[in-house]
Amino acid sequence: RNVISDFAVVAKMDYEWNPWRKLRVKPQLKWLRQRRQDDEGAVVEVHEKFFYPILRMEYPVSSRTTLKVGAQGAPFLKSTYRNGITSDANFDSQVYLAQVSNTSTYLGYQVNVNLGWEKRNRVFESVLRREQEADFSRIFLRVIAGLRPQF
């Protein structure tokens, strides 16, 4: 009889601060841990840890338009992924985002338009994975119709 154990824990904390007018500042921390294994080695073994320090800021410029700036990881406190099985997969990352978000109603549909800039950086601990590192920026325009986004 093969016993499979799968265990996951998520811990998060956040705080909301309104330092000036309608400006919202929201620092957050998230930590995730997953472990999966079995007695006979029939399932893929997983031992992963994720750590996400997050800082979000939002400022409504009108009733339908909001400026949003956020960072997941920073130069002094990076987001991390650690793999207890394959240390070559370990990496640190940073993601920065700035966007203008507008939500309006058009012909009975709720339309959300996001225009923004994103910068991503991922650095592997292993020199063998240097080719898979990411360091890029992009400008985006996202239109969502019919749904109200929860972010």
Side-chain angles (χ1 to χ4, degrees):
R1 178 173 178 214
N2 188 21
V3 176
I4 300 170
S5 77
D6 195 354
F7 177 75
V9 174
V10 177
K12 73 176 201 171
M13 61 184 207
D14 59 46
Y15 178 77
E16 189 170 318
W17 179 41
N18 299 99
W20 180 72
R21 297 189 184 184
K22 294 183 181 180
L23 176 66
R24 283 184 12 177
V25 178
K26 192 169 187 179
Q28 300 173 293
L29 285 175
K30 289 185 183 179
W31 181 80
L32 295 82
R33 169 84 164 97
Q34 182 180 9
R35 183 183 55 81
R36 181 177 55 230
Q37 60 191 31
D38 67 335
D39 295 336
E40 298 175 4
V43 300
V44 176
E45 193 172 354
V46 175
H47 290 266
E48 296 178 318
K49 295 179 191 170
F50 300 84
F51 174 68
Y52 300 114
I54 300 167
L55 178 63
R56 294 172 38 181
M57 292 186 285
E58 297 182 7
Y59 186 76
V61 293
S62 75
S63 62
R64 299 183 313 195
T65 305
T66 305
L67 296 174
K68 298 179 181 181
V69 177
Q72 180 176 291
F76 55 88
L77 187 62
K78 294 176 171 53
S79 291
T80 60
Y81 169 79
R82 298 295 180 259
N83 189 313
I85 306 292
T86 308
S87 63
D88 285 351
N90 294 348
F91 65 85
D92 296 340
S93 67
Q94 299 160 273
V95 180
Y96 302 101
L97 182 75
Q99 74 178 25
V100 177
S101 181
N102 178 276
T103 302
S104 301
T105 303
Y106 180 73
L107 296 176
Y109 288 94
Q110 192 160 24
V111 179
N112 182 266
V113 179
N114 297 301
L115 174 64
W117 170 81
E118 174 185 21
K119 174 158 179 48
R120 289 186 172 264
N121 179 281
R122 178 179 60 203
V123 177
F124 284 94
E125 287 187 339
S126 170
V127 295
L128 301 173
R129 306 270 316 252
R130 295 289 180 202
E131 293 179 8
Q132 297 172 354
E133 291 182 352
D135 188 11
F136 66 89
S137 296
R138 67 179 174 166
I139 295 172
F140 62 89
L141 174 65
R142 180 174 48 209
V143 179
I144 304 168
L147 299 172
R148 179 168 177 85
Q150 298 298 312
F151 50 89

